[in-house]
Amino acid sequence: MNEALLRSLTPSVLAILVRRGADFAAAEDAVQEALVEALRVWPADPPRDPKGWLVTVAWRKFLDATRSDAARRRREDLVDEEPAPGPAPAVDDTLQLYFLCAHPSLTPASAVALTLRAVGGLTTRQIAQAYLVPEATMAQRISRAKRTVSGVRFDQPGDVATVLRVLYLVFNEGYSGDIDLAAEAIRLTRQLAAAIDHPEVAGLLALMLLHHARRAARTAPDGSLVPLAEQDRTRWDTATIAEGIEILQAALARDRLGEYQAQAAIAALHADAPTAEETDWVQIVEWYDELTRLTDSPVVRLNRAVAVGEADGPRAGLAALAALDASLPRYAAVAAYLHERDGDLATAARLYAEAAQKAPNLAERDHLTRQAARLNSRRGR
């Protein structure tokens, strides 16, 4: 059973049901039921046209779920529209569905959460981590969003900023999380950049390409994480880096700076350095200052503290870190790194161990645990 195939077909099937008159919540439920049915049936009897099979089964599930005296009259009309068996149109509706989910009746935060859950395939836990809120809070937000759009006709697409936010979060989860969604996020952002002439769309595409170009060097053969400073830069995809920088330069030339362009500029400075020691940290701090002005994000301030530590020394980095909330994700890991740079190995080892306990995924937890063990070993000599 190819679960990746099912995930890739889900957005298109969902979009077809919505266009045929199903409200979003009911359509999502029907598609999920069809996926369960596929997992049960396909291993023994794989269909010739998986997408057509899913559309047919999901539509029937939707009809079954809307049984009532009032709905029955409407269902008689809908039955006539049921997709006939056979090949489904080879149309990619995913990006369109992203826009439809960013409905004007939803707040941007709710639209992003709903789209990540229903279209992006992320779990509620993963979305909560991206938004720095408890999982229960995010579950309530998604439930409210479903109730809000229940019965709403999806004929008013949302704005570009909300769709960009969704694509950004999907890429981040694919790049650093348990589900590989990065390539799909790049594909959709390319589509969006081809359709919309907007510097922030270009900035986001450049940011994704510059990060993705380093992906092969981010892990060792045993699956362990390799920090940026230790990566084999000969494994970076120079063609993708060049493309990302070219796209970024064209966007910056329009003098309409946004957060994705600023993030891409930071990534470009990392990608352009022949070695870690030659990284232009002073300019990176300047870009983080711009990014802080644009977003005032605590995560941006956390990353800025690392850059300050590299540009002006670990004591300066720790001073910048002291102004932030210690409960921020990866705060302990940043503090550990800066304390190690400052020569306080005991504090660094303790903080690495603390950070490992809070790590969002296994690879990061193992890396931080090894860092703590390395420092404890040095101290014991």
Side-chain angles (χ1 to χ4, degrees):
M1 166 55 59
N2 191 338
E3 295 188 19
L5 172 62
L6 288 176
R7 279 204 306 271
S8 68
L9 292 174
T10 297
S12 185
V13 175
L14 184 55
I16 290 172
L17 264 65
V18 169
R19 286 204 304 268
R20 289 181 175 275
D23 68 72
F24 187 88
E28 184 189 12
D29 289 343
V31 172
Q32 293 301 318
E33 288 188 35
L35 294 176
V36 171
E37 186 72 6
L39 289 170
R40 185 183 67 83
V41 173
W42 286 11
D45 185 21
R48 293 180 181 176
D49 176 24
K51 180 178 176 181
W53 189 98
L54 284 172
V55 169
T56 300
V57 172
W59 188 251
R60 287 172 179 165
K61 297 288 185 183
F62 165 70
L63 294 180
D64 291 342
T66 55
R67 284 198 182 96
S68 70
D69 289 342
R72 187 172 294 111
R73 290 189 297 272
R74 170 62 181 148
R75 191 164 65 253
E76 290 173 356
D77 296 331
L78 294 176
V79 168
D80 294 336
E81 302 173 20
E82 179 178 330
V91 178
D92 184 356
D93 300 294
T94 308
L95 188 58
Q96 179 191 18
L97 192 57
Y98 272 58
F99 273 96
L100 292 177
C101 286
H103 197 272
S105 63
L106 295 173
T107 65
S110 294
V112 170
L114 178 63
T115 311
L116 288 172
R117 182 71 186 91
V119 187
L122 274 63
T123 66
T124 303
R125 175 184 59 81
Q126 291 167 326
I127 302 169
Q129 288 175 346
Y131 270 88
L132 310 181
V133 300
E135 184 175 349
T137 300
M138 184 53 65
Q140 292 175 354
R141 184 179 299 177
I142 294 172
S143 295
R144 284 197 301 271
K146 287 182 179 180
R147 288 196 297 271
T148 299
V149 300
S150 181
V152 170
R153 291 293 297 183
F154 280 71
D155 53 2
Q156 302 178 63
D159 67 350
V160 175
T162 300
V163 174
L164 287 178
R165 183 64 180 166
V166 175
L167 290 168
Y168 173 75
L169 292 174
V170 168
F171 177 82
N172 279 350
E173 188 58 44
Y175 186 69
S176 61
D178 302 320
I179 303 174
D180 186 359
L181 296 168
E184 174 68 0
I186 291 173
R187 184 183 70 83
L188 293 174
T189 306
R190 283 192 187 278
Q191 287 186 8
L192 188 59
I196 299 176
D197 183 19
H198 192 295
E200 272 292 81
V201 177
L204 179 59
L205 179 57
L207 174 63
M208 290 179 175
L209 291 172
L210 289 165
H211 277 298
H212 206 61
R214 303 198 303 259
R215 188 165 191 177
R218 290 185 72 247
T219 54
D222 63 0
S224 60
L225 290 181
V226 180
L228 176 61
E230 301 173 18
Q231 288 176 14
D232 178 358
R233 299 186 177 217
T234 64
R235 300 185 65 197
W236 290 1
D237 186 340
T238 54
T240 300
I241 289 173
E243 181 187 5
I245 290 176
E246 181 180 359
I247 292 171
L248 172 62
Q249 289 174 337
L252 291 175
R254 301 178 64 175
D255 199 22
R256 291 168 54 193
L257 184 64
E259 63 173 299
Y260 301 118
Q261 295 169 73
Q263 287 190 57
I266 293 169
L269 287 167
H270 283 297
D272 197 43
T275 66
E277 293 73 23
E278 296 174 86
T279 303
D280 189 345
W281 286 107
V282 172
Q283 193 173 168
I284 287 176
V285 171
E286 292 174 355
W287 275 111
Y288 271 121
D289 289 340
E290 288 285 350
L291 193 53
T292 300
R293 181 181 60 80
L294 290 166
T295 68
D296 197 28
S297 162
V299 174
V300 170
R301 292 182 181 275
L302 185 69
N303 291 330
R304 180 184 178 276
V306 177
V308 169
E310 298 289 352
D312 301 327
R315 297 278 175 95
L318 288 168
L321 189 65
L324 302 177
D325 186 348
S327 66
L328 277 172
R330 297 187 172 90
Y331 179 100
V334 170
Y337 174 74
L338 291 172
H339 276 290
E340 180 183 357
R341 292 267 330 276
D342 195 40
D344 187 351
L345 301 189
T347 300
R350 175 179 58 79
L351 288 169
Y352 275 130
E354 178 184 328
Q357 294 177 350
K358 301 176 181 178
N361 57 64
L362 182 61
E364 189 169 335
R365 186 185 70 190
D366 289 346
H367 171 72
L368 293 168
T369 300
R370 283 193 295 271
Q371 295 292 83
R374 173 179 58 81
L375 293 187
N376 285 326
S377 176
R378 284 176 58 185
R379 289 170 57 223
R381 291 174 184 169

